């Protein structure tokens, strides 16, 4: 976000009303922010400045001090705290803890945070949603070094095997915004040259260099750094108060003094505990990894892998089913097993009779074709409960409870027709109910399993008996044409659903309605009347349980325009007269 220098178009002092408005926006955006944190970020007697950049970013700073917050679009909807603000109030946003100081070098260099660089606590990955603001910390120091937004939710991250991008970094230590404290946005900020602060990334990286390289090499590195930086760095004993800044007159102290300060570094207990945890994972023997692989495979076969999903590529089996079944905080690496490769492991399980696999000659990939659910290992295995899923479900339930009462929910459902009634009767399903697409697909696959219609020579093909053939194709095949005798598994569900009657359920708050047919969209049209006057016509709101009168009143207030509601047969049209605005 702040990799390149951007000139400020304007810079002005915030009025008292604007300062209060910004304070309220920060309180609403960051619920973890306490009153004491707000007082630290917005000193009561200090003036606030706003710099409006050419890229529409607004930077808010305390006059004569540091940039505290920045607004990406300048509209108040995407407010982020700066690193300086997080040093004053580090708990206003949740933070990811890095595995070590080496990872912080990439973050400070401008890279995004990846999941392999995050230290997962023993209780598991914390719950978060996509688009949330999180900070980044190094072990042993409470001062964050970066802030950004999550790219996916915690449940999606677990399904992906904790791989890929975790945090899209918006602002980090030593970028252009951080350097702006030297005078770009905050006037009279040159006094920073006489300030000494604890560099959080420096502390973490130097812990490893002191332990591995010795004081002499650290002395050389620190001396080089002192020549490049205008700010003198003083490293003291690591504690929560180390992020506080203080004045120092001896800016030109010798490198010997700096080396002596570095020698006082101590490593916090939680850093050693984290290191021991990672070390225990790396001490797994190949036999331990083999046993863990087998356990995760059996857990996946019991919980997530269904016969209707087969055949399944080995890569999909690994990423979507085996990896999510591993214990919390444990890294599962096939290369550390005795098999070394996924294909060899699956071939071994096929030789043992647990699964059947086949190599795709075109993609050069092993494909899971079938599962022997009568195998002794499968029968003796008892699947474990998934605490991660429970926590995710609890988070989703809490999120649902926190949503407004008028939240709109639209669900497409299907009702059994005369074509498929025989299938529902055969499996004992209620023909009077409404089914979602996945539930209807499960019904037809239950019938396939019940009648044993899977082709023995090709597990991806279903042989059609008379009942299933009539349900799928009776009346849809032209006279004189031959009825098909088999169908691919991937086409079975969609073909079966197309033979049912579509319905949709719309719920808004406590109101719910079921309507027949496909969902009809709201139509928005613009017309020109009486010269240059524009009118926007809305129709179809009643489909989504929207009161036209209430909507017309709200639009009249919001856009300062005239509105009328006209009733037509089976439709209500809302006319919004806008002299200066056209909705499309």
């Amino acid at each position: 976000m702040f990799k390149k220098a951007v000139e400020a178009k304007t810079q002005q002092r915030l009025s008292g009303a604007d300062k209060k408005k910004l304070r309220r926006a920060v309180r609403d955006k960051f619920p973890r922010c306490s009153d004491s944190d707000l007082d630290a970020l917005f000193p009561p007697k200090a003036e606030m400045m706003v710099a409006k950049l050419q890229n529409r970013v607004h930077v808010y700073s305390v006059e004569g001090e540091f940039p505290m917050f920045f607004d990406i679009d300048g509209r108040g909807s995407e407010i982020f705290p700066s690193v300086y603000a997080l040093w004053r109030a580090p708990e206003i946003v949740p933070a990811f803890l890095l595995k070590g100081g080496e990872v912080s070098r990439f973050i400070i260099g401008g890279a995004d945070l990846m999941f392999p660089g995050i230290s997962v606590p023993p209780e598991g990955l914390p719950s978060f949603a996509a688009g949330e603001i999180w900070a980044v910390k190094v072990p042993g120091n409470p001062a964050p070094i970066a802030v950004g937004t999550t790219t996916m939710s915690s449940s999606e991250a677990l399904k992906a095997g904790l791989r890929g991008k975790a945090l899209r970094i918006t602002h980090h230590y030593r970028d252009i915004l951080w350097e702006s404290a030297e005078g770009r946005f905050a006037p009279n900020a040159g006094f920073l040259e006489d300030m000494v602060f604890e560099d959080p990334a420096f502390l973490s990286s130097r812990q490893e260099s002191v332990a591995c390289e010795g004081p002499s090499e650290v002395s050389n590195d620190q001396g080089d750094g002192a020549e490049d930086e205008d700010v003198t760095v003083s490293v003291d004993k690591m504690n929560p108060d180390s992020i506080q800044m203080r004045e120092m007159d001896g800016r030109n102290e010798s490198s010997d003094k700096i080396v002596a300060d570095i020698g006082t570094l101590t490593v916090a207990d939680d850093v050693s505990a984290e290191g021991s945890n990672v070390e225990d994972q790396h001490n797994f023997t190949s036999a331990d990894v083999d046993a863990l692989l087998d356990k995760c495979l059996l857990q996946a076969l019991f919980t997530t892998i269904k016969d209707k999903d087969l055949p399944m590529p080995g890569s999909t089996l690994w990423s979507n089913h085996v990896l999510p079944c591993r214990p919390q905080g444990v890294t599962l690496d096939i290369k550390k097993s005795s098999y070394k490769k996924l294909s060899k492991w699956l071939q071994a399980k096929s030789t043992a009779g647990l699964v059947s696999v086949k190599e795709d000659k075109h993609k050069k990939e092993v494909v899971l074709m079938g599962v022997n659910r009568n195998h002794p290992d499968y029968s003796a295995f008892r699947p474990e409960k998934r605490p991660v899923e429970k926590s995710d479900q609890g988070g989703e339930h809490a999120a649902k409870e926190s949503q407004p009462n008028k939240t709109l929910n639209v669900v497409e459902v299907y009702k059994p027709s005369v074509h498929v009634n025989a299938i529902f009767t055969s499996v004992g399903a209620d023909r009077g109910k409404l089914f979602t697409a996945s539930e209807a697909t499960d019904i037809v696959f239950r019938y396939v399993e019940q009648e044993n219609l899977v082709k023995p020579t090709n597990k991806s093909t279903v042989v059609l008996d008379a009942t299933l053939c009539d349900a799928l194709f009776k009346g849809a095949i032209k006279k004189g044409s031959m009825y098909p005798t088999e169908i691919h598994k991937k086409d079975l569900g969609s073909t079966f659903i197309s033979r049912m009657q579509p319905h949709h359920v719309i719920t808004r708050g406590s109101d719910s309605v079921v309507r027949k047919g496909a969902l009809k969209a709201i139509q928005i049209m613009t017309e020109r009347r009486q010269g240059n006057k524009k009118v926007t016509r809305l129709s179809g709101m009643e489909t989504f349980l929207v009161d036209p009168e209430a909507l017309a009143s709200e639009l009249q207030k919001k856009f300062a325009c005239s509105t009328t509601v006209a009733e037509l047969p089976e439709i209500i049209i809302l006319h919004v007269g806008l002299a200066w605005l056209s909705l499309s």
Side-chain angles (χ1 to χ4, degrees), residues 502-517:
H503 289 66
H504 56 273
V505 181
I506 299 178
T507 305
R508 181 183 289 274
S510 59
D511 299 331
S512 181
V513 63
V514 180
R515 291 193 175 97
K516 185 177 180 180

Side-chain angles (χ1 to χ4, degrees), residues 83-114:
V83 171
Y84 290 106
L86 293 178
W87 288 358
R88 287 192 176 182
E91 301 300 329
I92 63 175
V93 296
F96 290 116
L97 185 66
L98 301 180
K99 286 188 176 179
E102 294 295 330
V103 183
S104 65
R105 298 180 181 179
F106 300 99
I107 303 300
I108 295 176
D112 292 330
L113 178 61
M114 312 299 285

Side-chain angles (χ1 to χ4, degrees), residues 406-457:
K406 294 298 183 180
T407 300
L408 177 67
N409 186 22
V410 180
V411 180
E412 293 184 349
V413 292
Y414 301 88
K415 184 179 180 180
S417 63
V418 293
H419 303 292
V420 299
N421 279 339
I423 302 296
F424 282 84
T425 304
S426 179
V427 298
D430 187 2
R431 296 182 300 174
K433 289 178 55 179
L434 296 174
F435 299 85
T436 62
S438 60
E439 293 172 346
T441 304
D442 290 338
I443 293 294
V444 68
F445 275 99
R446 281 169 52 188
Y447 178 81
V448 171
E449 294 179 2
Q450 175 180 307
E451 302 297 330
N452 195 19
L453 300 180
V454 178
K455 192 174 183 179
T457 58

Side-chain angles (χ1 to χ4, degrees), residues 349-366:
K349 299 294 104 179
S350 177
T351 304
L354 177 61
V355 295
S356 59
V357 298
K358 181 181 179 181
E359 183 178 359
D360 190 336
K361 296 181 180 179
H362 300 284
K363 297 182 179 181
K364 301 297 182 181
E365 183 180 11
V366 175

Side-chain angles (χ1 to χ4, degrees), residues 244-555:
Q244 297 180 354
M245 292 180 292
R246 56 190 182 275
E247 296 184 359
M248 176 177 176
D249 297 331
R251 188 172 65 183
N252 297 324
E253 290 186 359
S254 63
S255 59
D256 295 337
K257 173 63 176 176
I258 299 176
V259 173
D261 292 338
I262 294 177
T264 62
L265 281 173
T266 58
V267 181
D269 295 338
D270 58 346
V271 177
S272 60
E274 179 66 25
S276 62
N277 187 18
V278 176
E279 184 178 359
D280 292 341
Q281 294 184 15
H282 287 291
N283 287 336
F284 283 166
T285 62
S286 60
D288 296 335
V289 178
D290 292 347
L292 184 59
L293 286 172
D294 295 344
K295 180 179 179 181
C296 294
L297 177 61
L298 290 171
Q299 180 76 17
L301 294 178
F302 263 94
T303 56
T304 61
I305 299 177
K306 300 180 180 180
D307 292 338
K308 68 176 182 179
D309 300 329
L310 304 179
M312 179 185 298
S315 58
T316 304
L317 170 68
W318 175 260
S319 60
N320 295 350
H321 299 277
V322 176
L323 282 181
C325 291
R326 69 187 187 281
Q328 295 181 4
V330 175
T331 302
L332 189 60
D333 191 355
I334 191 70
K335 295 181 180 179
K336 296 182 180 179
S337 66
S338 60
Y339 306 102
K340 303 301 181 183
K341 293 183 179 180
L342 177 64
S343 58
K344 292 185 178 180
W345 175 53
L346 293 179
Q347 291 287 359
K349 299 294 104 179
S350 177
T351 304
L354 177 61
V355 295
S356 59
V357 298
K358 181 181 179 181
E359 183 178 359
D360 190 336
K361 296 181 180 179
H362 300 284
K363 297 182 179 181
K364 301 297 182 181
E365 183 180 11
V366 175
V367 180
L368 178 65
M369 304 299 296
V371 180
N372 182 11
R373 303 192 183 273
N374 296 323
H375 193 272
D377 293 344
Y378 185 90
S379 302
F381 183 76
R382 295 294 178 267
E384 298 178 354
K385 295 183 179 180
R386 301 291 302 280
V388 174
E389 293 182 357
K390 286 184 178 180
S391 61
D392 290 342
Q393 293 174 359
E396 293 176 359
H397 180 68
K400 290 180 180 179
E401 290 181 350
S402 63
Q403 291 178 350
N405 293 331
K406 294 298 183 180
T407 300
L408 177 67
N409 186 22
V410 180
V411 180
E412 293 184 349
V413 292
Y414 301 88
K415 184 179 180 180
S417 63
V418 293
H419 303 292
V420 299
N421 279 339
I423 302 296
F424 282 84
T425 304
S426 179
V427 298
D430 187 2
R431 296 182 300 174
K433 289 178 55 179
L434 296 174
F435 299 85
T436 62
S438 60
E439 293 172 346
T441 304
D442 290 338
I443 293 294
V444 68
F445 275 99
R446 281 169 52 188
Y447 178 81
V448 171
E449 294 179 2
Q450 175 180 307
E451 302 297 330
N452 195 19
L453 300 180
V454 178
K455 192 174 183 179
T457 58
N458 188 357
K459 298 294 184 180
S460 62
T461 303
V462 175
V463 179
L464 299 179
D465 61 0
T467 303
L468 185 57
C469 185
D470 290 343
L472 299 180
F473 300 108
K474 186 177 181 180
I477 301 295
K478 295 182 179 180
K479 293 183 177 180
S481 301
M482 294 293 294
Y483 279 83
T485 59
E486 57 187 32
I487 187 174
H488 199 280
K489 278 186 176 181
K490 65 180 182 180
D491 300 327
L492 178 59
S494 58
T495 306
F496 185 75
I497 292 174
S498 65
R499 303 284 284 178
M500 301 177 65
Q501 298 176 357
H503 289 66
H504 56 273
V505 181
I506 299 178
T507 305
R508 181 183 289 274
S510 59
D511 299 331
S512 181
V513 63
V514 180
R515 291 193 175 97
K516 185 177 180 180
L519 185 66
K520 296 181 180 179
I522 293 179
Q523 295 183 1
I524 304 178
M525 297 170 289
T526 58
E527 296 180 356
R528 188 182 299 273
R529 295 182 180 178
Q530 298 178 0
N532 196 30
K533 184 178 180 181
K534 296 178 181 178
V535 175
T536 302
R537 301 179 60 192
L538 309 179
S539 61
M541 293 85 66
E542 75 285 352
T543 303
F544 299 92
L545 303 180
V546 177
D547 185 7
E549 297 288 349
L551 179 61
S553 176
E554 184 67 23
L555 294 178

Side-chain angles (χ1 to χ4, degrees), residues 73-299:
D73 58 0
R75 300 177 180 177
S77 58
E78 296 187 60
I79 299 178
F80 288 79
S82 68
V83 171
Y84 290 106
L86 293 178
W87 288 358
R88 287 192 176 182
E91 301 300 329
I92 63 175
V93 296
F96 290 116
L97 185 66
L98 301 180
K99 286 188 176 179
E102 294 295 330
V103 183
S104 65
R105 298 180 181 179
F106 300 99
I107 303 300
I108 295 176
D112 292 330
L113 178 61
M114 312 299 285
F115 278 109
I118 297 177
S119 175
V120 180
E123 60 269 18
L125 188 70
S127 178
F128 54 86
E132 289 186 358
I133 298 178
W134 280 63
V136 180
K137 294 182 179 180
V138 293
N141 199 310
I145 64 172
V147 63
T149 55
T150 55
T151 60
M152 63 181 74
S153 63
S154 55
S155 58
E156 293 173 344
L158 292 173
K159 291 180 180 179
L162 294 182
R163 295 179 179 272
K165 186 181 297 185
L167 199 68
R168 184 176 291 106
I169 300 299
T170 308
H171 159 56
H172 61 83
Y173 170 73
R174 282 185 178 175
D175 65 359
I176 297 298
L177 179 61
W178 185 89
E179 293 176 352
S180 68
E182 297 181 0
R184 182 172 287 110
F185 300 136
N188 303 324
F191 72 95
L192 280 179
E193 297 181 357
D194 295 330
M195 301 294 289
V196 178
F197 61 92
E198 304 284 351
D199 182 344
F202 176 82
L203 290 177
S204 178
S205 61
R206 288 304 170 195
Q207 290 175 18
E208 300 179 0
S209 59
V210 169
C212 301
E213 300 173 5
S216 60
E217 296 183 10
V218 174
S219 173
N220 296 333
D221 294 340
Q222 178 62 24
D224 296 339
E227 295 177 0
D228 298 334
E229 295 293 334
D230 295 332
V231 181
T232 304
V233 180
S234 173
V235 184
D236 297 330
K237 186 175 180 180
M238 194 178 305
N239 53 64
D241 299 330
S242 63
I243 62 173
Q244 297 180 354
M245 292 180 292
R246 56 190 182 275
E247 296 184 359
M248 176 177 176
D249 297 331
R251 188 172 65 183
N252 297 324
E253 290 186 359
S254 63
S255 59
D256 295 337
K257 173 63 176 176
I258 299 176
V259 173
D261 292 338
I262 294 177
T264 62
L265 281 173
T266 58
V267 181
D269 295 338
D270 58 346
V271 177
S272 60
E274 179 66 25
S276 62
N277 187 18
V278 176
E279 184 178 359
D280 292 341
Q281 294 184 15
H282 287 291
N283 287 336
F284 283 166
T285 62
S286 60
D288 296 335
V289 178
D290 292 347
L292 184 59
L293 286 172
D294 295 344
K295 180 179 179 181
C296 294
L297 177 61
L298 290 171
Q299 180 76 17

